[in-house]
Amino acid sequence: MGEKVESGGTGLSDRQKYRAKLQQCLAVLGRLLGEKRFDRPRNLMGLEIELNLAGSDGMPRMMNAEVLERIASRDFQTELGMFNLEVNIAPHRLGGRVLDQLAEELRTGLGYAHRKANEVDAGIVMIGILPTLSLDDVVSTNLSDADRYTLLNDQMVAARGEDFALDIEGVERLTCSSPSIAPESACTSVQLHLQVTPDRFADVWNAAQCVAAVQIAVGANAPFLFGKELWRESRPPLFLQATDTRPPELQAQGVRPRTWFGERWIDSAYDLFEENLRYFPPLLPMSDDEDPLQVLDEGGTPRLAELVLHNGTVYRWNRPVYDVADGLPHLRVENRVLPAGPTVTDVVANAAFYYGLVRALAEDDRPVWTRLPFATAEQNFETACRDGIGARLRWPRGGRAGNGVAEISAVRLVRDELLPLAAAGLDAWNVEPADRDFYLGVIEGRCERRVNGASWQVDTYHRAQEAGLRREAALAATTRRYAELMHEGAPVHTWPVGFPAPARMPDLSA
């Protein structure tokens, strides 16, 4: 979505040329991998957070252009909807006090952005899906004013050939349709990047796929969509359906969706890029002037612009990334599983859990993915999205030394087996022990109290309804209370459910 694409028409010859260029880029990537041209290990991680803009009433504000003008920082940029922003944190080397450094940078940056947004009666809300968002808010006229969003929308609508159908059945059922991809903008997430060497890529990606379900179970934060209580993490089904360019007939044939968990464990980063070309037609056939083969033959570093652009239109939950920095190519695993929020402390705790756990699992001499069928990992992911902190998952029996898989509660799996592994992984990254214990302690606290962002939202919403508020007023009250506690900063498992006192409750006649 961040590609700088200029709006313009594309014809049949453009697509044929682009497809040929993609194949050339893939061949060059294969050579780069075979010739070991990639950057040395630098233990680098990166972080991006998508944000919502909401007013003091808890309702969305379609004014990211005005807010960005006031923020005036390249760390903040537009996202798909006018009520969205994204903040990018510069890459950090994993180790030492990196977790506390990240937390401090995020508090400073988000605090500044929030104050600037307040100048135009808006504010920053870090949440998976804004509970007050309505279907009328996610329309094409509320897409951010950037050519890349317009062109992407036009191409996806043309590929589908009909309205996008949303049908999500959870606690309640939502059925509606949209003539554009705008409902995708309801999803605001955290992306965790990890630079890896080609030799390590497959192990890290496979490990990340294994842990996607537990990330969601402890981190779910999107239980509401368009006024309905759905899954504890409703982003994945929404993102799948809002970007689904397949009409029903192609779905029935088993054609793969562009939002995709995957279908197998891999042996190389090449596997994922090759699948992206084999299964997904180009959406943005914009060819670059670079001849990647010539650049490589002359000893240079090719940008592989077409491959990068195409890769950005296939929405894997763990995405491969090819990039060039300081004249050297490198590979990253981009983890796109987590929702935004609830607080900076929670975001950094989720990051600590992920980076530690992936390091430990990727280095295991008996990898978990050799004992966990890929289809089971995918089912675990859906189960965690549906049930959140209460999910029961299937995991290799008897810990790392067992055979077969057995069902276990997510909180028990995390507390008894995965948190110690995450701690060992952070030790391998040489993270400061005090930071390791503090942030993993946040994950442990969620497990002990069976509380995450989604469970708090649901419990507070129902508390508001019990006090007499109708649905829309209860969602608005929940959003306002969430934003208040989010900015106070204590981790979500310590938040009191409901509202502080009857005197501070919203007007029951609303």
Side-chain angles (χ1 to χ4, degrees), residues 41-64:
R42 292 196 291 173
N43 297 348
L44 288 178
M45 56 83 67
L47 181 69
E48 304 169 50
I49 308 177
E50 295 163 352
L51 308 163
N52 288 280
L53 291 173
S56 57
D57 57 358
M59 306 306 290
R61 291 289 189 269
M62 306 296 167
M63 53 198 323
N64 60 5

Side-chain angles (χ1 to χ4, degrees), residues 316-329:
R316 295 178 183 269
W317 295 109
N318 285 291
R319 175 189 275 165
V321 176
Y322 171 90
D323 204 353
V324 178
D326 300 325
L328 292 172

Side-chain angles (χ1 to χ4, degrees), residues 327-402:
L328 292 172
H330 69 261
L331 293 172
R332 301 195 304 271
V333 174
E334 180 191 15
N335 179 261
R336 306 174 60 251
V337 168
L338 289 163
T343 67
V344 168
T345 297
D346 287 302
V347 168
V348 177
N350 289 339
F353 183 54
Y354 169 75
Y355 286 120
L357 189 52
V358 164
R359 172 76 183 252
L361 292 179
E363 294 183 347
D364 197 336
D365 55 7
R366 193 173 178 224
V368 64
W369 58 89
T370 66
R371 295 171 288 128
L372 184 71
F374 192 93
T376 302
E378 182 176 17
Q379 183 58 53
N380 279 345
F381 182 67
E382 180 174 328
T383 298
C385 291
R386 287 182 180 274
D387 299 335
I389 199 85
R392 295 188 62 82
L393 308 176
R394 295 184 62 79
W395 197 255
R397 190 187 307 274
R400 296 190 292 162

Side-chain angles (χ1 to χ4, degrees), residues 246-324:
R246 307 168 303 164
E249 295 81 3
L250 293 184
Q251 294 180 36
Q253 292 175 35
V255 173
R256 295 157 182 83
R258 297 193 85 94
T259 298
W260 197 33
F261 188 82
E263 61 189 16
R264 64 186 176 108
W265 307 119
I266 64 166
D267 299 314
S268 166
Y270 184 91
D271 295 347
L272 299 177
F273 288 101
E274 188 275 332
E275 283 182 349
N276 286 355
L277 269 62
R278 179 156 40 108
Y279 295 142
F280 302 103
L283 285 177
L284 302 172
M286 318 289 286
S287 293
D288 189 80
D289 292 335
E290 177 188 71
D291 183 335
L293 185 59
Q294 180 180 346
V295 171
L296 185 64
D297 286 341
E298 293 175 352
T301 300
R303 297 186 305 273
L304 305 185
E306 292 84 3
L307 189 71
V308 170
L309 179 59
H310 181 64
N311 186 60
T313 65
V314 180
Y315 304 104
R316 295 178 183 269
W317 295 109
N318 285 291
R319 175 189 275 165
V321 176
Y322 171 90
D323 204 353
V324 178

